Structure formats: structure tokens, C-alpha cells
Amino acid sequence: MAASLGPAGGGGAGAAHGSGPSGFAFDSGLEIKTRSVEQTLLPLVSQITTLINHKDNTKKSDKTLQAIQRVGQAVNLAVGRFVKVGEAIADENWDLKEEIKIACIEAKQAGETIAALTDVSSLNRPESDGQITIFTDKTGVIKAARLLLSSVTRVLLLADRVVIKQIIRSRNKVLATMERLEKVNSFQEFVQIFSQFGNEMVEFAHLTGDRQNDLKDEKKKAKMAAARSVLEKCTMMLLTASKTCLRHPNCESAHKNKEGVFDRMKVALDKVIEIVTECKPNGENDISSISIFTGIKEFKMNIETLRENLYFQSKETLSAMLEALLERTEDFTDCAYTSHEHRERILELSAQARTELQQLISVWIQAQSRKTKSIAEELELTILKISHNLNELKKELHSTAAQLAADLLKYHADHVVLKALKLTGVEGNLEGLAEYACKLSEQKERLVETCRLLRHVSGTEPLEITCLHAEETFQVTGQQIISAAETLTLHPSSKIAKENLDVFCEAWESQISDMSILLREINDVFEGRRGEKYGYLSLPKPMKNSANLRSLKADKPDSEEQAKIAKLGLKLGLLTSDANCEIEKWEDQENEMVLSGRNMSSMAYSLYLFTRGEGPLKTYQDLIHQLEVFAEEGLKLASSVQAFSKQLKDDDKLMLLLEINKFVPLCHQLQTIIKTPLQNQVFLKVDKCITKARSMMAVLVQLLSLCYKLLKKMENSRWVSVTTVDGKT
């Protein structure tokens, strides 16, 4: 049995809840609850700020008083849920128990104080005279809010320490079991230990998946995804490679194949620990230092500072930056696969950049001594010229790398070499093995070099990391395929050796497929289409519940299921139309709220088409992945709306925040449903997900409508204030 470890947020169904020496179930229960309550609490914090800033002299209408009371009650309820989870964490971790309990008590007191001070529903009645409320004791609310934020932060930081300890403990268990697997000598013993190893990998998958979802740094998230992708693929490789070694104990190539898998898994496990503990090993290179696009961006920022400050840096620094940048273009010009036209154009633009920098330095020196308008204009012109030249260089480099990658992917789409290696293996053809192993090595080197070029033009750090992951995967997997093929050729009748070669070939084919997605994302970033994202396809294998989804790979709704979900989808289709109508009202179509709303509407329409058996989503796996992205986009929209609310007056702000407070929990509930293990109830899960997505779209339509009205109200208010001062415009 192989454990599955997807790159984000997932593990197998029924994953080791509370397994291990500690008996602690934080991995799949408490962490999700803590994060959910934390995310519920944070929007309420901004509502507390609104309460504190509420003007004392404003008219206290019944509607305003009810809204204030609802906020106070919502805060207190959210704090109550948070405290309950915090106390559960404390009970399971004696070393942090006292600290967490104290913080929970403080949070509870703060929540109750806020609820009491916002109990203002009867304020307009005569009997309320003398009642202490937010209007009479604003200092009390401020103190309670500060205490709440302080105590909640302490609980979250302590809980974070618990999670990190859990991940380290889990990694150590996996490593210890791997050491036993390396030394095993019998099939019976191997099966027993591998079964334990599978359970431990599932537990590790849960912990690291949840951790990856919580990471705010996209670069760390990409690194975690890459490491977890390695572990997922290597788990199956470890199974077949170990079985092959046990079947053929005297075969050197089989041992070499197995050792390669163990080594790569150990490196990936160490990488996960580096990310969660934020400890870099000495001498680790920052990959951004070898990206040409990053170098161009930094160089342009430096020359543009000359507009404001002529003494910001030295001429030598700029010259050194440009030379370092142009030196990296040698990866393109020295590449044997770069066309003559591309090579000549890159060299021409590089020489032109050097010439234009010298012109810039000359004008710069003059500008330092002569403060005239003509010199300032000449400096501006030289800055624009070198910026334009570097933009042209970027285009040429991107075109070169993208064309090489596209041609290579097209050429190797049918995997002729892999098929030939399998055939020579079962035939026991050693001469054929040597010929096709050489061809695979050439293909590997070309893929590795192309990934290196793509890394230079990727445009973002997460995509750079994904390119590096692809480069390493081709490098390692290519060698492992050759050793697996050699084992099969030496033992052509061995079923396990054939199965082992198949597993490594599948990993190669999977990485080729990932590379085509990576190329599409790089093109999107370069052409400014990042907002479309094709469902966040970056990062290797971006599914958050791959163990849950593994059984869904080929599953499509049968006729009965299709009929049931068609009814669910009808309302979703209508809501999509409503959302589009609201979006079309906006004059600024590039507004963040509009962009997120449009993305959600587009995804909801894909979900609707799925319910009709149409559109790009073909399987349940496609649907679940789309819903993951849908929930993420919903949280992004909520963040944009929250930022917009800060520009509004108190009553309008309160009204909008209450709507956000309906929307955000729906996003988290959808994420929780997606994460819930399937347990052979696929259709029930899909039914719940679509129903929840439908609820989100209904609130989205209301949110977009309200935001548009409040934006117009704000703009009209500004216009009136400008045009009525002393009756003059």
C-alpha cells in the first residue's frame, strides 16, 4: 500500500488522527478549527475598530443600535469558539498548558466585556439611563479590544509552536521507519514496515498540507509544494524500487535505483523542516540572484531613482549590475539549441545596453554639475532609452525560452524513448538499452537546460522555484529510469522490475505534463494575463487532497448523478448571470473587487456547465480542484471589500462589514468540506460543495451590489463637497 502525499492540504482518507506517541490530534482537527475561528475572528476585529471610531454625536437610530449589538454578540461568540479550541490544545500540550490557559481566560474576559458594552438595543428607552455602554465608556471598549488582540495573538503563536513540533516529530518518525526499510531483507518484514511507513506519510501529509495552506509567503508555499510533490511521487517509487531490490538482491542497478529514491526523499523531508522552522542551511543560494528578469527589474529600479536623487549610488555599482545581468544571458547564447537569429538578437541588444549605459553615465555626470532643464530632459531620455532596450531584451529572452520549451514538449509528447526502453528491457536487449539510454540522457540534458532558461524568464519567485523543481526532477528521474531499465534488461521476465520501470516512466511523463502547465503560466505572467490563472495551476500538482482525489481520477458522474446535480446547477447558472449584471455596472473594470468577482463568476459558470455534463471540468477531481480555487478567490474578494470599507463612513462601513461576515464563513465552510475525507461518499461531497458554492454566489451578488452603491454614494458625496463650497465650483 502506498501512502499518497499531495502538494497541498491533503492526505489519505482516515489519516492517522491522534496517531503517534503523543496521541495528539491537532493535525487534522484542532489546526483546522483554530484557523477557521481565527479567520472568523479577524474580520470582527475590524468591526470593533469601527465601533471604537463610531462618532458619539451621530444619531443613534434603532437600526444603528441593533447593528452595534450584533457585532458585539458576534465577537463574543467567535471568541467563545476560539477559547474552546485553545483550551483543547492546552489540554493536549502540558508544556504550554499554563500559557495557553491564561491567554484564553483573558480573551474570554475581553469578549464578554465587548458584548456587555455593545448591549445598546434598548438605549433609546427611558429605563436605559445610567447604563454603561460603548457611548459612555469608549475607553473600556478600547482596552477590551487590545486585550482581545493580545491574547488571541498569544494563543495563535503558541498553537503555531505546537504545529511545528508536530511536523518535526512526524518527520522524525518517517525517517526512523525509512532507515528500517533500507535495511530490510525479507518481503514479509518489508510489507509490515511499509504499512507503518504509509500511515506515517499520510499523517505527515496532513500536517504539511495544512501548514502549506497557512503560509502567507508565496515563495515558501512554492518550496513546500515542490518538496511535498517529491515525497508523493517518491513514495510509490520507494515501494517498487525496494521490492525490486528484494527480488534481485545481487543486482547493482536495482540497489542504485533504490538508493536514489531514499536520498531524494531525505532531502525533501529536510527541505520541509527548513521551511517550517525558517532555518536556512549555511551557503544556500538565493535563486533570485540567477534570474535575468529579476536582475533587469532591480537594474531598472536603480536607474529610475536617478530622477529623484543623482547621488543615490555610484557609476561603478550600476556598471557592475548590468555586467552581471548580461553575463547571465550567456545561458541563452551558449545554449546549443538557441536559434542563430535569437542568439544574434540577444548579443545585439546586450551590446546596445552597454552603449546606452555609458551614455547615461555621461549625462548623469553632467547633471551632477549643471542643474539645467535641458540636462534633466536629456537624463530622462537616456533613462527611457536604456529601459526600452532592456524591455526588448526581456521579450527576446522570453521568446527564445518559450519557443525552445514548446518545441521540446511537442517533440517528446509521444514518449518514444520511454516506450523503446520498456521494449528493450522485456527483450533483454543490452545493445538496445545502451542506445536508448544515451538518447534519454540527451533528452534529459535538453530538458534540464530548457528549465534553466525558463527559470530566467519566469517572472515570479514561485514560478522560479517551480522551474528549479522541474530541473531537479528531470535530472534525477532520468538517471533512475536508466537504472530501472538496466535492471529489467538483466531480468527480462521479472514482473516487479517491469512494474518499477513503469512507475519511473510515469513520473517522467507527469513532469513533462507539469512543464507544459508551467510554460503556460510563464507566458501568462509575461503577457499580463496573471488574473486569469487557469485555476492557479502553478506549483507541482496543485491538488490539496490528492489522497482523497486519487480514486476520482477517471470518475465522471453517471446518468443518475448527472440528473441530480443538474437541478443543483440551475440556480448556480442564474446567480452567475446576476453577478455578471452587477459587474457590468462598474465603470472601473480593473477594480480588485470586480476582478475577483469576475473570476468567481467565471468559475461558477464552469461549475454550472459541469452540472450539465458540459464545459472544461470533466471529472469529480476537476470539480473539487476548481472549488478549491473558487474558495480562495472568495477570500481574496473579501480582503478587497474589507480594504474598501476603510474608506466609508461609520454606518456604511458597519453595513458592509456585516455582509462580509456572512460571506467569509461560507468560504471557510467550503474549504472544510473539500478537506473532509471522502469515505466512499463522493456524490454527497460534491452535492454539499455545489450547494455551498451556490450560497456564496448569492451573497456575492449582494456584496457587489452593495459595494457599487456605496462607491457611488462616496463619489457623489465628494463631488457635492467640492461643488458647494461658498456656492462655487
Side-chain angles (χ1 to χ4, degrees), residues 34-43 214 635 664 668 671:
T34 306
R35 187 166 59 251
S36 177
V37 177
E38 171 198 354
Q39 290 163 336
T40 305
L41 204 58
L42 292 179
D214 288 340
L635 292 172
V664 172
H668 296 315
Q671 288 181 324

Side-chain angles (χ1 to χ4, degrees), residues 357-644:
L357 178 61
Q358 291 308 311
Q359 290 175 354
L360 174 64
I361 289 173
S362 175
V363 176
W364 181 11
I365 292 169
Q366 292 178 54
Q368 287 176 330
S369 57
R370 291 164 48 202
K371 313 285 185 183
T372 65
K373 184 179 179 182
S374 61
I375 284 293
E377 288 174 351
E378 194 175 346
L379 179 65
E380 178 65 21
L381 184 61
T382 52
I383 289 172
L384 291 174
K385 282 175 69 178
I386 194 167
S387 294
H388 175 73
N389 170 267
L390 292 173
N391 287 339
E392 290 299 307
L393 180 60
K394 277 180 68 175
K395 287 180 187 175
E396 194 62 33
L397 295 172
H398 174 266
S399 174
T400 303
Q403 186 177 321
L404 282 173
D407 292 346
L408 192 57
L409 288 168
K410 187 177 179 181
Y411 182 73
H412 294 297
D414 51 4
H415 305 294
V416 171
V417 176
L418 297 184
K419 291 172 184 174
L421 277 170
K422 291 178 185 180
L423 187 60
T424 56
V426 295
E427 291 175 349
N429 183 352
L430 288 170
E431 288 183 8
L433 169 69
E435 178 189 346
Y436 288 108
C438 184
K439 286 185 177 180
L440 184 68
S441 294
E442 289 172 6
Q443 182 179 333
K444 177 198 71 177
E445 291 305 320
R446 189 168 177 183
L447 283 162
V448 166
E449 192 160 7
T450 303
C451 288
R452 194 172 299 131
L453 300 186
L454 285 174
R455 186 172 36 163
H456 276 306
V457 303
S458 56
T460 69
E461 285 188 327
L463 288 177
E464 283 184 45
I465 290 160
T466 310
C467 289
L468 185 64
H469 167 75
E471 189 180 327
E472 291 171 350
T473 300
F474 283 126
Q475 190 74 263
V476 174
T477 311
Q479 292 294 336
Q480 290 177 315
I481 287 173
I482 292 170
S483 60
E486 185 180 338
T487 304
L488 178 58
T489 309
L490 293 171
H491 308 277
S493 60
S494 172
K495 289 183 180 179
I496 184 57
K498 184 179 182 301
E499 182 190 352
N500 187 47
L501 177 57
D502 286 341
V503 166
F504 283 96
C505 287
E506 283 172 16
W508 179 275
E509 290 169 12
S510 173
Q511 192 57 53
I512 291 281
S513 175
D514 287 348
M515 187 175 170
S516 67
I517 295 170
L518 174 61
L519 176 60
R520 184 166 61 182
E521 285 212 322
I522 290 171
N523 287 336
D524 283 353
V525 170
F526 185 78
E527 293 167 16
R529 294 200 309 261
R530 190 59 174 169
E532 295 172 18
K533 280 197 176 177
Y534 298 102
Y536 297 172
L537 287 171
S538 64
L539 314 181
K541 296 293 183 190
M543 293 161 304
K544 297 183 179 175
N545 293 284
S546 68
N548 289 345
L549 296 176
R550 187 170 293 279
S551 61
L552 302 181
K553 283 192 175 177
D555 285 3
K556 296 182 180 180
D558 58 30
S559 56
E560 185 181 346
E561 290 172 344
Q562 193 71 63
K564 288 179 182 177
I565 61 174
K567 294 177 184 176
L568 286 173
L570 185 59
K571 179 66 175 173
L572 193 58
L574 294 171
L575 287 167
T576 301
S577 299
D578 292 343
N580 289 338
C581 289
E582 291 298 334
I583 288 166
E584 285 169 11
K585 293 178 184 177
W586 293 65
E587 293 169 10
D588 180 10
Q589 289 291 307
E590 295 302 312
N591 183 292
E592 289 291 333
M593 293 181 283
V594 172
L595 292 174
S596 290
R598 188 185 295 115
N599 284 344
M600 288 188 71
S601 179
S602 175
M603 285 185 268
Y605 188 69
S606 294
L607 300 176
Y608 162 65
L609 290 177
F610 178 84
T611 65
R612 296 177 45 145
E614 302 170 6
L617 308 177
K618 303 300 181 187
T619 65
Y620 282 136
Q621 177 181 346
D622 295 338
L623 179 75
I624 294 295
H625 178 50
Q626 184 75 92
L627 285 160
E628 287 176 340
V629 183
F630 183 75
E632 288 173 13
E633 195 67 44
L635 292 172
K636 185 178 173 183
L637 172 76
S639 177
S640 300
V641 174
Q642 219 165 339
F644 168 64

Side-chain angles (χ1 to χ4, degrees), residues 199-443:
N199 290 331
E200 289 168 355
M201 285 298 287
V202 168
E203 179 188 5
F204 191 70
H206 274 286
L207 289 164
T208 55
D210 287 334
R211 187 67 179 181
Q212 182 181 321
N213 292 337
D214 288 340
L215 289 170
K216 301 294 185 287
D217 186 327
E218 291 297 324
K219 187 175 176 182
K220 289 179 183 175
K221 192 173 279 193
K223 285 183 177 180
M224 180 73 90
R228 297 182 75 248
S229 177
V230 169
L231 292 170
E232 178 188 15
K233 291 175 182 175
C234 283
T235 300
M236 180 54 78
M237 293 175 185
L238 184 144
L239 173 63
T240 57
S242 298
K243 284 165 68 178
T244 305
C245 259
L246 289 168
R247 180 73 70 194
H248 309 289
N250 299 320
C251 182
E252 186 180 339
S253 58
H255 283 281
K256 182 181 176 182
N257 185 256
K258 185 182 99 168
E259 287 165 10
V261 178
F262 275 95
D263 290 345
R264 195 159 189 231
M265 288 190 79
K266 288 173 185 175
V267 170
L269 287 165
D270 289 342
K271 179 61 69 177
V272 169
I273 299 305
E274 285 169 28
I275 295 162
V276 298
T277 59
E278 298 185 342
C279 294
K280 283 188 177 181
N282 293 330
E284 182 183 282
N285 293 323
D286 187 352
I287 65 164
S288 64
S289 64
I290 54 172
S291 163
I292 295 175
F293 273 27
T294 301
I296 289 175
K297 183 180 177 182
E298 290 174 357
F299 181 80
K300 285 172 67 178
M301 285 171 60
N302 275 274
I303 62 171
E304 283 165 7
T305 58
L306 297 176
R307 294 183 175 119
E308 307 297 328
N309 187 347
L310 293 170
Y311 304 94
F312 179 71
Q313 59 203 318
S314 68
K315 291 81 181 169
E316 293 76 19
T317 301
L318 272 185
S319 297
M321 282 184 74
L322 183 65
E323 281 308 313
L325 188 160
L326 296 178
E327 188 178 330
R328 293 173 208 150
T329 64
E330 291 174 7
D331 285 350
F332 289 79
T333 55
D334 292 348
C335 175
Y337 311 108
T338 301
S339 70
H340 177 72
E341 291 77 11
H342 281 305
R343 185 178 291 107
E344 288 299 308
R345 182 65 176 148
I346 292 167
L347 291 170
E348 179 189 336
L349 289 167
S350 298
Q352 193 177 327
R354 289 188 178 96
T355 302
E356 287 175 353
L357 178 61
Q358 291 308 311
Q359 290 175 354
L360 174 64
I361 289 173
S362 175
V363 176
W364 181 11
I365 292 169
Q366 292 178 54
Q368 287 176 330
S369 57
R370 291 164 48 202
K371 313 285 185 183
T372 65
K373 184 179 179 182
S374 61
I375 284 293
E377 288 174 351
E378 194 175 346
L379 179 65
E380 178 65 21
L381 184 61
T382 52
I383 289 172
L384 291 174
K385 282 175 69 178
I386 194 167
S387 294
H388 175 73
N389 170 267
L390 292 173
N391 287 339
E392 290 299 307
L393 180 60
K394 277 180 68 175
K395 287 180 187 175
E396 194 62 33
L397 295 172
H398 174 266
S399 174
T400 303
Q403 186 177 321
L404 282 173
D407 292 346
L408 192 57
L409 288 168
K410 187 177 179 181
Y411 182 73
H412 294 297
D414 51 4
H415 305 294
V416 171
V417 176
L418 297 184
K419 291 172 184 174
L421 277 170
K422 291 178 185 180
L423 187 60
T424 56
V426 295
E427 291 175 349
N429 183 352
L430 288 170
E431 288 183 8
L433 169 69
E435 178 189 346
Y436 288 108
C438 184
K439 286 185 177 180
L440 184 68
S441 294
E442 289 172 6
Q443 182 179 333

Side-chain angles (χ1 to χ4, degrees), residues 704-717:
L704 289 171
S705 176
L706 181 58
C707 287
Y708 176 75
K709 289 173 185 173
L710 293 175
L711 180 64
K712 282 295 173 187
K713 181 180 176 182
M714 186 173 70
E715 288 173 350
N716 291 337
S717 175

